[in-house]
Amino acid sequence: MRLRELRQDSRVAQRRLAELAGWHESKVSKIEHGKQTPSEDDIRTWCRLVGADEHVPDLIATVRNISSAYREWRREWHAGAHRRQQTIAAQEAETTLFRVFEPFLIPGLLQTREYAAQRFRDNIAFHGTGGDVDTAVQARMDRQDVLRRGDRDRRFHMVMCEIALTIGMADDHVLVAQLERLLTLSTLPRLSLGIIPTRARHRRAPHHGFWVFDERLVLLETASAELAITQPREIAVYIKEFDWLASSAVYGAAARDLIHAAIRTLRAS
């Protein structure tokens, strides 16, 4: 555990740390061996006594996130896809700046009802959980209110790869309607919509999608689970990753040109 490493680096013995903190000696051992979860005050005291105050924010974030950092999709889908949408909506309501990167998908806040329905049906089939698609879709549509309501300072910076405009994640007619909606949404004053052209110079490889909520939370998806990242130093890495990816994107009229081209491609296929 990181707390043990910090104590050892400072050459403070377990017994001495316990004495300085006014704890029973066994508390230090239990924390270091994962038998007791330290409180936030414990972390502050520990770091102060070993001269590692700079590690407090990351360690507190780790403790706060122990139970929610890993959400297995199979379990989430069994609970109902709409419930996950409601949980995300609560996070979004507290957010002022959204940074969203999706390499292959249209972000959920920009999806049409039909596009969202196809994505939910495919995910439910993949995880074999069953579920009410209509309820899940409605929950996602309800989330989209955040695009227009709330604090005037709320901003959305969303970036996707050009392939997301034409990849067969939905039927062609559904994609065309989705892209037409993107054209409309791209004019929203609070939305900055960027598209990375396929032949643009990519300073970073688009490994996976992720959402950054202000500077307090990052959500990303794997095949089996959703990961929630709250450690400030890791969040900083994802913000830098987003900035590098966004630097390869085009915006405004240039982005709309790519969307129009994609619509023409889909209609001709």
Side-chain angles (χ1 to χ4, degrees):
M1 188 177 183
R2 185 61 179 146
L3 288 174
R4 178 175 56 198
E5 294 173 355
L6 293 174
R7 179 188 61 78
Q8 290 174 339
D9 289 346
S10 68
R11 298 184 179 181
V12 177
Q14 284 187 349
R15 179 176 296 178
R16 180 57 178 161
L17 178 60
E19 290 175 353
L20 292 172
W23 301 336
H24 191 282
E25 183 179 349
S26 65
K27 178 173 179 176
V28 175
S29 178
K30 288 178 180 177
I31 289 174
E32 290 191 348
H33 290 87
K35 296 180 179 179
Q36 178 176 335
T37 300
S39 69
E40 294 182 17
D41 284 340
D42 289 341
I43 290 172
R44 293 188 183 96
T45 298
W46 191 299
C47 289
R48 174 174 55 81
L49 294 176
V50 302
D53 286 332
E54 69 275 14
H55 294 277
V56 168
D58 282 339
L59 290 168
I60 287 179
T62 299
V63 169
R64 289 178 178 176
N65 206 43
I66 284 174
S67 63
S68 60
Y70 184 91
R71 298 186 181 95
E72 186 182 6
W73 285 127
R74 187 172 179 81
R75 182 176 298 177
E76 291 290 322
W77 288 99
H78 269 304
H82 66 287
R83 294 190 179 182
R84 184 71 198 116
Q85 296 301 302
Q86 292 166 350
T87 301
I88 297 175
Q91 292 285 358
E92 291 168 341
E94 301 174 357
T95 302
T96 300
L97 174 59
F98 294 75
R99 300 175 182 91
V100 179
F101 173 67
E102 290 287 0
F104 304 115
L105 295 172
I106 307 300
L109 290 179
L110 308 182
Q111 291 178 3
T112 64
R113 185 177 295 273
E114 293 75 17
Y115 185 97
Q118 292 205 348
R119 301 310 317 127
F120 279 119
R121 279 195 293 270
D122 288 347
N123 284 328
I124 288 171
F126 179 81
H127 293 289
T129 56
D132 187 343
V133 171
D134 290 341
T135 303
V137 170
Q138 186 57 54
R140 177 162 289 178
M141 296 301 103
D142 291 343
R143 279 176 54 205
Q144 295 180 358
D145 288 344
V146 75
L147 286 168
R148 294 182 173 84
R149 62 175 168 78
D151 194 324
R152 292 182 180 180
D153 293 330
R154 179 174 284 158
R155 292 178 295 132
F156 301 83
H157 188 175
M158 301 191 183
V159 177
M160 66 189 77
C161 293
E162 184 180 1
I163 187 62
L165 305 178
T166 54
I167 193 171
M169 303 304 294
D171 296 336
D172 284 358
H173 72 280
V174 173
L175 271 176
V176 168
Q178 174 65 75
L179 297 185
E180 290 173 340
R181 175 165 170 75
L182 275 188
L183 289 172
T184 300
L185 293 175
S186 70
T187 62
L188 288 176
R190 61 173 61 184
L191 172 62
S192 180
L193 179 63
I195 300 174
I196 303 177
T198 301
R199 295 302 302 160
R201 172 68 170 88
H202 288 54
R203 299 177 67 203
R204 290 289 293 172
H207 299 292
H208 54 73
F210 58 90
W211 292 54
V212 185
F213 298 78
D214 292 324
E215 297 183 355
R216 60 184 171 78
L217 173 67
V218 174
L219 295 180
L220 60 96
E221 299 179 0
T222 71
S224 61
E226 177 185 76
L227 305 182
I229 295 172
T230 59
Q231 291 85 348
R233 58 190 171 87
E234 288 193 68
I235 291 174
V237 172
Y238 276 94
I239 291 175
K240 182 176 181 179
E241 174 95 343
F242 181 85
D243 289 342
W244 278 46
L245 289 162
S247 70
S248 298
V250 296
Y251 297 82
R256 285 188 283 275
D257 285 344
L258 291 176
I259 297 172
H260 281 298
I263 291 173
R264 289 193 296 271
T265 297
L266 291 168
R267 284 178 171 163
S269 62

